[in-house]
Amino acid sequence: MPDTVLQAMQGYLVRSNSNTHGTFATSRETDELIAGARRAAADLLNAEPGEIVFGPNSTSLLFAISRSIGRTLGPGDEVVVTRLDHDGNIRPWVMAAQDAGATIRWVDVRDDDLTIDPGSFDAALTERTKVVAFTLASNAVGTITPATDLVRRARATEALVCVDGVQFAPHRAYDVRAIGADLAVCSPYKFFGPHLGVLWARRELLEVWTPYKVRPASDATPDRWETGTANHEGLAGFVAAVDYLAQIGATYGGAGGTPDRRSRILAAFEAIGAYERILAQRFLAGIAAMDHVRLYGIGDPARLEERVPTFAIRVGEQLPIETTRSLGERGIFTWDGHYYAIELMQRLGLWPEAGGCVRIGLCHYTSASEVDRILDELSLLT
């Protein structure tokens, strides 16, 4: 997390730290902070501030919004989810469907590269489809989905489309308008901010759905979707995180003279994407030379535009927890298990008995020498 994010959070707690809608100075500062956070999220996502909802995390926001959408479902309706997704964009919709007596239809992945199977996607859509949910990038194997095309296909029905951009947001420019979905989420901790969730939805939908809230809470949109006291210091850190991304665009993306924050964010992700592709190519070339390391997902260096630098591997006959423990003892911190992509790991036959995979994540602050060090350590594990 950048120093500027930490300083913004500390500064709010020291100087302001008041609840909203009071007549005194620190309360007005909190109101201004929330408005500024909505503007920052709008710049990040290419949205309008009035379409932004904040919450504790993306999963909680999806459970909340799916509960409201579930009120519009009934027997005979269908909800489409994919086996590529994090369970945070599966279980809320599955439970909403179950509560309403609706049917769940599953979209499969292709065996060779763990991308969405377009035939399975089309087969899941019917005239009874009411919700379609899919990820923009897999948090397990790094696959970037062809979101605009999937939304276009889904529009053959009258379904609402929800996209999960949690893993996508730190690596690529996020544009909800271009994607064309109705709902989208992301989590600031993934792009160098605090633990929060951000939900975008079309304003006309936020106004027609019924939120679950206490009576004194605002009836205005989008405030009525934010239950209880918000994490105001987190919002201060969120604004600083968005500004950090914009500064990358100004410094490394050639947008230093651009006053528009959205333009600087776009420049940032041009620079971030270009650099991360170099790292990804280096990593893929390294493990391709290791017979004892298996990669799950896209491994072709010519297809780096189709993935983020999040890699799922297994080393020899080791259980993933054994590999992560060995790497951790060497100062390399990696995840083992299913990382909440439980449907995908079960689809691959890797959960629960096989222990899932080892996840290695690279980012714009990862150095080439760090990639080489990871590869060196993997080469020593058998």
Side-chain angles (χ1 to χ4, degrees):
M1 187 181 290
D3 288 343
T4 52
V5 174
L6 299 172
Q7 291 161 6
M9 296 173 70
Q10 182 186 43
Y12 174 82
L13 289 170
V14 170
R15 293 189 299 270
S16 299
N17 198 24
S18 171
N19 219 320
T20 58
H21 308 314
T23 59
F24 48 93
T26 52
S27 182
R28 292 196 301 271
E29 289 170 4
T30 297
D31 292 337
E32 293 167 2
L33 168 65
I34 294 170
R38 293 199 205 283
R39 291 193 297 271
D43 287 344
L44 180 71
L45 301 177
N46 192 27
E48 295 297 326
E51 300 172 319
I52 301 298
V53 177
F54 294 108
N57 51 66
S58 291
T59 300
S60 295
L61 285 167
L62 286 174
F63 267 112
I65 204 79
S66 67
R67 188 180 185 198
S68 294
I69 294 171
R71 292 165 60 117
T72 70
L73 301 176
D77 291 337
E78 296 178 351
V79 172
V80 175
V81 292
T82 89
R83 299 203 185 277
L84 187 64
D85 275 73
H86 185 289
D87 216 48
N89 197 34
I90 295 176
R91 198 62 183 167
W93 305 113
V94 168
M95 296 186 75
Q98 290 173 341
D99 290 345
T103 300
I104 293 293
R105 295 177 68 88
W106 290 92
V107 175
D108 206 356
V109 295
R110 292 189 281 207
D111 290 321
D112 57 341
D113 58 6
L114 301 185
T115 59
I116 290 288
D117 183 332
S120 177
F121 188 86
D122 288 344
L125 302 173
T126 75
E127 69 277 3
R128 297 183 297 276
T129 304
K130 301 301 180 184
V131 177
V132 176
F134 64 87
T135 189
L136 297 182
S138 167
N139 76 306
V141 296
T143 305
I144 293 177
T145 59
T148 303
D149 180 60
L150 295 181
V151 171
R152 180 188 59 78
R153 292 168 183 251
R155 292 301 182 210
T157 72
E158 296 181 356
L160 293 166
V161 181
C162 175
V163 296
D164 173 4
V166 172
Q167 194 71 14
F168 183 84
H171 303 291
R172 297 287 193 276
Y174 204 156
D175 189 333
V176 296
R177 300 296 182 204
I179 292 168
D182 301 293
L183 295 159
V185 293
C186 61
S187 294
Y189 81 91
K190 285 283 190 176
F191 49 88
F192 328 115
H195 287 278
L196 287 172
V198 179
L199 179 142
W200 166 85
R202 299 184 189 279
R203 188 179 181 92
E204 62 268 24
L205 298 176
L206 291 175
E207 290 178 342
V208 73
W209 293 329
T210 302
Y212 287 77
K213 69 180 188 66
V214 295
R215 288 171 294 175
S218 173
D219 287 320
T221 300
D223 309 63
R224 66 197 192 115
W225 292 96
E226 297 171 346
T227 57
T229 298
N231 178 1
H232 299 137
E233 66 272 23
L235 294 179
F238 166 72
V239 174
V242 175
D243 286 339
Y244 165 74
L245 291 171
Q247 185 58 43
I248 291 176
T251 305
Y252 300 101
T258 305
D260 176 63
R261 182 165 53 187
R262 174 66 182 173
S263 295
R264 284 180 280 133
I265 290 169
L266 293 175
F269 282 107
E270 284 290 328
I272 287 170
Y275 179 70
E276 288 183 346
R277 283 190 290 275
I278 294 171
L279 297 181
Q281 189 168 22
R282 194 182 194 98
F283 181 80
L284 289 174
I287 62 169
M290 301 180 197
D291 292 336
H292 67 297
V293 176
R294 177 176 177 179
L295 173 76
Y296 292 84
I298 296 171
D300 183 352
R303 297 177 63 190
L304 291 178
E305 290 289 349
E306 300 176 55
R307 68 165 305 134
V308 296
T310 303
F311 304 99
I313 65 168
R314 288 180 67 98
V315 177
E317 299 300 318
Q318 288 186 1
L319 288 173
I321 194 171
E322 297 170 342
T323 304
T324 59
R325 185 180 294 119
S326 296
L327 291 173
E329 290 169 353
R330 294 163 169 80
I332 298 171
F333 300 167
T334 57
W335 287 109
D336 68 273
H338 55 66
Y339 359 105
Y340 289 78
I342 191 167
E343 292 291 340
L344 180 61
M345 292 300 168
Q346 289 177 337
R347 167 69 172 75
L348 295 172
L350 298 176
W351 189 263
E353 289 81 6
C357 284
V358 175
R359 183 174 68 179
I360 296 174
L362 309 180
C363 202
H364 73 280
Y365 51 73
T366 306
S367 68
S369 62
E370 287 171 330
V371 174
D372 291 342
R373 183 179 167 211
I374 294 168
L375 292 170
D376 288 343
E377 296 296 349
L378 287 174
S379 71
L380 299 175
L381 300 179
T382 57

